[in-house]
Amino acid sequence: MPGTHTLVNELVTKLKKRLVQRGWRVHRETALLTAELLRSVISQLKVPATNQAETLIDAVKSVGKLLVAANPVGPPSRSPSLHAILDRTPDSERAHHSSRAGDSFEGKGKSADRNAESWKLKHDVIRAVNELIEDINSCHEQIAEQSVELIHQNESLLTFGRSRTVREFLCAAKEKRRSFRVFVAEGAPKYQGHALAKDLGARGIQTTVITDSAVFAMISRVNMVVVGVHAVMANGGVIGPVGLNMVALAARKHAVPFVVVAGPHKLCPLYPQNPHVLLNEMRCPSELLQDGEFSDCMGVCNGSGNPLLNVVNPAFDYVPPELVSLFITDIGGYNPSFVHRLISDHYSADDLDLQKRTTS
Amino acid sequence: MDPRRAPRTVSDPKVRKVGFFTDPPDRSLPGPPDHPISSFPTSPPSTVDNSLPSAGNSLSPVMIPPPRHSYSILSPLRRDPAEFFPLPASPTASTSFSDDVASTMKGRGVAAASSSLPGGLLFDIAAIKSAASSVPASGLTTVSAVNNLPIEKGGGRGVLFKKLNELRKATAKAEDGKTPAAASGAAASVKSGKSLKPPPSEKNDSAALAALEKKAGDRPPEKDRKKEFPQPRMQFDDKSRVEKAKRRAVVKQTEARNRVELFRHLPQYERGTQRTELQSKFFELDPVHPAVYKVGLQYLYGDICGSNARCIAMLQAFQEAIKDYSTPSEKTLARDLTAKIGSYLSFLIECRPLSISMGNAIRFLKNRIAKLPLTLSELEAKATLRSDIDRFINEKIILADKVIVKHAVTKISDGDVLLTYGSPSAVEMVLLHAHELGKQFRVVVVDSRPKLEGQLLLHRLVGKGINCTYTHVNAISYIMHEVTRVFLGASSVLSNGTVYSKVGTACVAMVAHAFRVPVLVCCEAYKFHERVQLDSLCSNELGDPDVISKIHGREDINFLDGSTNSENLQLLNLIYDATPSDYISMIITDYGMVPPTSVPVIVRDYRREHLWI
């Protein structure tokens, strides 16, 4: 157990410091790390003879609570993957538990059997976690295979910010010799769009970088908008990089399809309530204003002592389901209204209380 | 006579052509093969009527009559744009049309002399004008249009008057008719041919055609109205025209290497070479007055931004130039001065394409020059012009702003949260005035790359003690739920109610509309224009693409360093965009607070008397 504590603390620290958010694989990294952590927790867990399933569930839940507490404000980047893992394992555990419940009264004397069974339970759970890891690793290929059905010839696409899923999506279409060009909106304040554009250009796709303010101007000449998101909520709405709602509104105005590509680790069983505030995160204002130029303004206060200058720099944006045309997942394309069924495949309703945010 | 044709006294033949001229091979209508125009002075109206349909479809509808009158050499003026810049998009009829013009004109060698004609024309036709005013508007068309239209009122004489009137309009309009385009300052193009963007585009043609058809109603002011119809601007994808324009350009500009396909019709040059070119050529640019040169450099370096500021700077530079101007011997002031202004304009356009407000100001100036009484001495004329410019700046910009502020503060109440985008001068005045009046409100300043103009506004507002919130354009969905009103500025408002302003305004207006927040646009009436535009791409301005890759203040982000020249990757820096009128609740102008649908009314009926055009 001490070994697992160290591991858990490591991941918690990483999440708190947002160290996992570098590079292309933000969500995948988080999901994979969480899954691997749980796998090691489970494997090292000493399961008692009775109520083994519950022990496992409790252990997993406690780890989950720690992880959620580490990143309390932002379910987007993390909790979807967490929940996926946490809740799928309790599912398999429950199945075993219910079947074992009947036997436990009969087989009290068979300690040897029970040891074997407990080992089998852990083994099954770990196998389920491995399957989950496999899914996360391979979702990009399966999503990319569907790009050929959506992109034909001489198309213009618009994307926003940076997403590895979108990159794989577009490159798969390029390999199938579809001719298209891509407009990439840079996605302030992180400007991830620049990185995506450079990558796409290096792979031979005609790319143009535009500023976010030019999205409305360009969208009239675009055939489709393809974006990757942080999280897909249970009602079909999405949490994405800030500015995505503007793009979705512009696409709706010009009747351009707004396609969201998302792997299974993005699914989140939450229904968004006041998503702009509750499912959001504020970033550092110095990304927008350099202190040096505004030092004279920063300290100015009005009569009641409130500062005159506020800088607002949200990190995420919520797009309601009516603006989304299609979800492309590894198991196919779906309407926003179908997302709740997908979520019920992955999650069991009993485990949603993990979301109770611990206001520490 | 076909009653449908009666009202169509279209001034611009090319406009008519688009509606009526199909492929030359499709000449299904019968008609005499020889040029009807040559028969005009002699043929009675009836025959002309019959020949019109065919003339409309003939390959060379614009047949300039043999030079038996002095006016004949004036007719090329009207078709100057056609000659120099044949339509790229409608090669069949229009280019044949213009080719003919070109051939006839070249035959007379008039092309180069166009710059000196206009002034002279005015004086020649001035006397006739009074006589011609009795000619109904249907006669006021260019020669080619004359072909189409029934010359029901007096055959030969009508034709003569038509031509003269058309030329009169052409001279006054040829200069200014082309300026009012956002990304083009074609005023000079006709005359000096140095500009890069005059000529016709199909889109404008058909729009103009429809617009002009409706004007059939009132007659007398119609001829004036027609000449204000904006000439379509030069499209950069026509290679031959671009080549010709380049040869005449004052400053050599190298085209940007990596151009976005969608914007081939707009100019894009390497900014670095522009500056060095201009600086090196300073001593060769004799005709450019130092004040104009200074303003041009300020445009090039981006020191002056905002349509009001640019317009005022340009007009004041012209005031200086007029002060130092002296008429060379054997030339008339009006003619020569207009030519000089034209050359200055072409220089300014090479620094930065004219904004619509500047185009309107130029039209006003040229109109004033043209209307100078002949009896004035040179000193008096110059003084009159300078005082006219002062009056224009005063009344149309400064006083207009005061009126706008007075109207707009009535829309601000205590507890309001006002959102503004970028740094519009009119809105800034409104906010400061409302603050002085003691209203309690908060301001949200939304900003965007690459210019980050909102920071300047933020400085000024916080300096005055206004409670401000600063954010970037991506966050408007987040911030809009607490905003009560949106105030936007405009570079221009077009006749279909579209607001043409800095890129990103459309996004702000759209999100505000989605959140049911009223959007108010503050715009002086001199910025209105007859042009129409549906989207942001047909006419725009392309800025320096390199600023996109460099992010001010965030040196850690440099993904795009060095990749601006890779062949698959392009950077696009749009300057303007067009906001559809359904997102705008109200436009606050010096004529009052009007809905976007009233803009063409103001443009047509009110500007005439107030702008003295």
Side-chain angles (χ1 to χ4, degrees):
Chain A
M1 285 302 260
T4 56
H5 272 304
T6 338
L7 287 173
V8 171
N9 287 337
E10 259 181 45
L11 186 55
V12 164
T13 327
K14 267 194 187 169
L15 285 176
K16 273 190 179 155
K17 292 190 182 167
R18 313 279 186 267
L19 285 175
V20 198
Q21 297 197 13
R22 289 276 180 272
W24 284 98
R25 312 151 104 214
V26 176
H27 312 115
R28 267 181 28 142
E29 278 292 315
T30 333
L32 288 172
L33 284 175
T34 319
E36 282 155 16
L37 170 71
L38 285 174
R39 185 173 59 188
S40 37
V41 164
I42 293 170
S43 62
Q44 293 184 19
L45 198 57
K46 283 211 190 74
V47 183
T50 54
N51 293 336
Q52 10 174 292
E54 278 169 17
T55 324
L56 278 177
I57 293 174
D58 285 338
V60 165
K61 270 194 182 167
S62 61
V63 171
K65 279 204 188 93
L66 279 174
L67 291 178
V68 170
N71 198 350
V73 181
S77 65
R78 173 216 36 80
S79 87
S81 36
L82 250 194
H83 292 308
I85 295 151
L86 295 174
D87 298 322
R88 278 170 76 158
T89 50
D91 262 347
S92 53
E93 290 179 15
R94 285 248 160 62
H96 283 279
H97 181 72
S98 53
S99 67
R100 289 279 153 256
D103 297 357
S104 60
F105 294 110
E106 299 160 350
K108 276 189 187 150
K110 301 173 192 171
S111 56
D113 284 339
R114 259 182 239 128
N115 280 340
E117 283 155 9
S118 71
W119 176 84
K120 192 163 180 298
L121 176 62
K122 265 174 62 172
H123 181 71
D124 287 340
V125 169
I126 291 179
R127 204 178 41 178
V129 176
N130 282 336
E131 275 173 17
L132 188 60
I133 295 178
E134 253 323 293
D135 270 349
I136 296 174
N137 276 328
S138 65
C139 69
H140 288 128
E141 289 87 33
Q142 286 162 337
I143 291 174
E145 282 165 16
Q146 302 174 52
S147 69
V148 194
E149 293 162 19
L150 291 174
I151 304 176
H152 39 276
Q153 297 289 352
N154 290 333
E155 289 222 0
S156 300
L157 306 174
L158 177 78
T159 185
F160 190 90
R162 178 172 86 175
S163 160
R164 181 169 166 190
T165 325
V166 171
R167 189 185 72 174
E168 301 300 325
F169 192 79
L170 297 176
C171 293
K174 179 81 183 153
E175 276 158 33
K176 295 282 191 337
R177 307 276 186 274
R178 301 292 159 102
S179 67
F180 57 95
R181 62 176 173 187
V182 181
F183 292 99
V184 179
E186 53 183 12
K190 287 165 102 176
Y191 303 104
Q192 305 276 330
H194 291 189
L196 175 66
K198 188 170 175 183
D199 217 31
L200 289 178
R203 292 185 188 210
I205 300 177
Q206 277 289 325
T207 320
T208 307
V209 177
I210 61 174
T211 54
D212 309 308
S213 39
V215 157
F216 190 91
M218 297 307 300
I219 207 156
S220 58
R221 293 295 189 272
V222 160
N223 298 121
M224 187 163 76
V225 178
V226 183
V227 293
V229 293
H230 284 83
V232 178
M233 314 306 286
N235 65 343
V238 294
I239 305 279
V242 67
L244 201 63
N245 192 26
M246 183 176 77
V247 177
L249 282 171
R252 171 52 53 113
K253 152 83 177 170
H254 289 91
V256 173
F258 187 84
V259 174
V260 173
V261 290
H265 56 288
K266 305 268 174 78
L267 290 175
C268 178
L270 294 176
Y271 278 86
Q273 162 67 24
N274 198 2
H276 286 286
V277 175
L278 294 180
L279 294 179
N280 215 331
E281 199 174 60
M282 291 293 145
R283 298 172 60 88
C284 177
S286 69
E287 287 175 353
L288 299 184
L289 280 187
Q290 275 64 54
D291 280 334
E293 296 165 3
F294 278 84
S295 50
D296 50 338
C297 300
M298 289 294 193
V300 180
C301 295
N302 64 4
S304 56
N306 296 327
L308 274 188
L309 177 59
N310 299 313
V311 179
V312 175
N313 189 3
F316 299 112
D317 217 357
Y318 172 71
V319 179
E322 48 268 9
L323 296 179
V324 178
S325 311
L326 188 66
F327 281 100
I328 303 281
T329 67
D330 53 334
I331 44 180
Y334 294 103
N335 232 15
S337 53
F338 191 74
V339 169
H340 71 280
R341 303 292 295 180
L342 294 177
I343 284 174
S344 68
D345 284 346
H346 291 289
Y347 291 83
S348 103
D350 302 333
D351 295 308
L352 292 181
D353 64 352
L354 256 188
Q355 284 104 44
K356 281 214 192 81
R357 199 159 301 140
T358 55
T359 52
S360 47
Chain B
M1 174 200 342
D2 185 358
R4 179 173 62 87
R5 286 175 178 251
R8 221 172 307 115
T9 58
V10 179
S11 61
D12 182 4
K14 290 178 282 303
V15 172
R16 293 276 295 152
K17 277 188 64 61
V18 168
F20 286 79
F21 296 98
T22 53
D23 285 333
D26 298 346
R27 234 168 303 161
S28 51
L29 297 171
D34 50 347
H35 307 301
I37 298 185
S38 50
S39 60
F40 277 169
T42 52
S43 65
S46 54
T47 44
V48 170
D49 285 350
N50 295 337
S51 64
L52 280 180
S54 67
N57 275 340
S58 74
L59 261 179
S60 52
V62 180
M63 286 320 293
I64 299 169
R68 64 185 83 132
H69 303 278
S70 61
Y71 69 83
S72 58
I73 47 173
L74 304 179
S75 54
L77 256 191
R78 193 64 195 86
R79 270 168 262 54
D80 253 336
E83 181 225 349
F84 290 128
F85 311 94
L87 275 174
S90 60
T92 57
S94 328
T95 39
S96 56
F97 157 89
S98 41
D99 282 342
D100 277 324
V101 177
S103 54
T104 46
M105 285 173 58
K106 284 187 176 112
R108 299 198 190 100
V110 199
S114 56
S115 59
S116 57
L117 285 177
L121 276 178
L122 292 172
F123 303 128
D124 291 342
I125 332 179
I128 309 179
K129 179 188 170 185
S130 50
S133 56
S134 59
V135 176
S138 58
L140 304 174
T141 65
T142 58
V143 178
S144 66
V146 162
N147 290 336
N148 310 331
L149 299 175
I151 316 209
E152 65 276 21
K153 324 277 196 290
R157 187 163 166 279
V159 172
L160 169 60
F161 287 154
K162 276 175 227 150
K163 291 207 187 95
L164 292 174
N165 286 323
E166 146 235 319
L167 290 167
R168 181 183 60 76
K169 280 186 347 251
T171 60
K173 179 191 176 183
E175 278 64 86
D176 51 36
K178 292 173 199 59
T179 46
S184 68
S189 66
V190 176
K191 326 182 57 215
S192 60
K194 284 183 183 180
S195 155
L196 301 174
K197 323 165 190 188
S201 78
E202 285 213 358
K203 162 182 71 76
N204 248 349
D205 284 351
S206 27
L209 175 57
L212 286 168
E213 290 213 12
K214 294 187 213 109
K215 289 182 186 169
D218 28 342
R219 295 286 155 156
E222 200 167 346
K223 48 186 181 225
D224 294 330
R225 221 165 267 185
K226 296 287 170 26
K227 76 177 163 205
E228 276 179 23
F229 174 66
Q231 287 292 313
R233 292 135 293 136
M234 168 153 138
Q235 305 295 320
F236 271 79
D237 38 3
D238 183 27
K239 292 232 169 8
S240 57
R241 212 176 293 174
V242 172
E243 284 307 313
K244 277 189 192 154
K246 271 196 194 160
R247 272 183 255 130
R248 283 183 228 110
V250 178
V251 174
K252 285 250 172 302
Q253 310 206 34
T254 47
E255 288 197 12
R257 268 162 285 151
N258 220 356
R259 304 179 55 148
V260 183
E261 268 307 311
L262 206 52
F263 290 95
R264 286 235 165 245
H265 61 292
L266 296 175
Q268 177 146 22
Y269 299 105
E270 301 265 331
R271 288 302 154 106
T273 57
Q274 248 181 338
R275 297 173 189 187
T276 48
E277 273 289 329
L278 274 177
Q279 282 164 349
S280 64
K281 285 207 165 197
F282 176 55
F283 294 106
E284 300 170 28
L285 292 174
D286 285 328
V288 177
H289 189 272
V292 176
Y293 184 72
K294 175 176 154 196
V295 166
L297 279 185
Q298 281 176 323
Y299 289 166
L300 189 60
Y301 284 94
D303 290 340
I304 298 188
C305 270
S307 49
N308 277 342
R310 285 171 72 193
C311 188
I312 293 180
M314 178 188 75
L315 286 176
Q316 287 176 339
F318 283 168
Q319 263 188 327
E320 284 292 315
I322 290 176
K323 185 172 82 155
D324 296 336
Y325 169 78
S326 63
T327 320
S329 56
E330 294 166 12
K331 289 200 174 163
T332 52
L333 176 123
R335 200 186 324 169
D336 189 55
L337 185 59
T338 319
K340 253 199 153 25
I341 301 261
S343 71
Y344 294 159
L345 266 184
S346 60
F347 169 74
L348 287 180
I349 289 165
E350 278 156 18
C351 297
R352 191 176 159 186
L354 289 190
S355 66
I356 297 186
S357 59
M358 291 165 74
N360 287 345
I362 293 290
R363 273 163 63 182
F364 155 77
L365 180 62
K366 290 193 168 166
N367 191 273
R368 297 309 297 160
I369 296 179
K371 288 211 161 85
L372 281 177
L374 300 172
T375 53
L376 285 185
S377 74
E378 181 179 318
L379 275 178
E380 284 171 5
K382 291 196 322 189
T384 317
L385 282 177
R386 296 184 63 212
S387 74
D388 278 342
I389 292 179
D390 269 334
R391 204 155 57 117
F392 182 88
I393 293 179
N394 225 5
E395 287 185 21
K396 291 290 142 190
I397 303 179
I398 299 178
L399 279 179
D401 278 339
K402 291 204 174 92
V403 173
I404 289 176
V405 165
K406 189 168 68 84
H407 284 302
V409 291
T410 60
K411 292 293 170 193
I412 302 179
S413 33
D414 283 343
D416 262 348
V417 179
L418 310 174
L419 184 138
T420 184
Y421 177 75
S423 173
S425 52
V427 174
E428 184 181 339
M429 284 192 250
V430 168
L431 294 174
L432 291 176
H433 187 67
H435 186 70
E436 279 165 30
L437 289 180
K439 306 208 179 200
Q440 301 296 316
F441 59 92
R442 245 186 345 118
V443 175
V444 178
V445 178
V446 179
D447 202 6
S448 81
R449 281 194 72 229
K451 283 197 173 162
L452 293 176
E453 293 167 335
Q455 296 191 354
L456 305 168
L457 178 67
L458 191 66
H459 257 297
R460 294 194 282 260
L461 290 181
V462 173
K464 289 282 164 68
I466 301 179
N467 200 342
C468 293
T469 305
Y470 178 79
T471 181
H472 60 101
V473 70
N474 279 340
I476 42 177
S477 304
Y478 173 81
I479 205 96
M480 194 59 73
H481 67 273
E482 57 187 51
V483 171
T484 55
R485 295 218 201 301
V486 174
F487 277 88
L488 298 174
S491 174
S492 164
V493 183
L494 307 175
S495 269
N496 60 341
T498 309
V499 173
Y500 190 76
S501 54
K502 286 285 184 293
V503 69
T505 314
C507 293
V508 173
M510 170 186 68
V511 175
H513 185 256
F515 281 80
R516 308 262 192 278
V517 176
V519 175
L520 293 88
V521 172
C522 301
C523 178
E524 299 85 358
Y526 85 101
K527 291 182 186 168
F528 291 176
H529 198 269
E530 307 88 28
R531 198 157 61 85
V532 291
Q533 194 170 328
L534 289 173
D535 60 22
S536 320
L537 296 167
C538 300
S539 148
N540 210 317
E541 191 183 326
L542 295 178
D544 187 8
D546 290 327
V547 280
I548 303 239
S549 53
K550 296 181 202 31
I551 301 168
H552 167 70
R554 304 274 298 282
E555 278 72 28
D556 52 317
I557 298 183
N558 54 356
F559 301 111
L560 287 180
D561 273 356
S563 29
T564 46
N565 292 330
S566 85
E567 72 172 33
N568 287 322
L569 182 62
Q570 285 136 9
L571 303 174
L572 181 63
N573 184 4
L574 283 179
I575 305 277
Y576 291 110
D577 73 7
T579 310
S581 60
D582 23 346
Y583 293 150
I584 311 287
S585 315
M586 182 159 73
I587 301 183
I588 306 179
T589 78
D590 40 332
Y591 287 100
M593 299 194 268
V594 297
T597 47
S598 302
V599 171
V601 173
I602 293 179
V603 165
R604 205 169 88 137
D605 293 321
Y606 286 90
R607 283 227 304 213
R608 194 154 331 275
E609 53 258 33
H610 293 162
L611 269 183
W612 317 295
I613 290 180

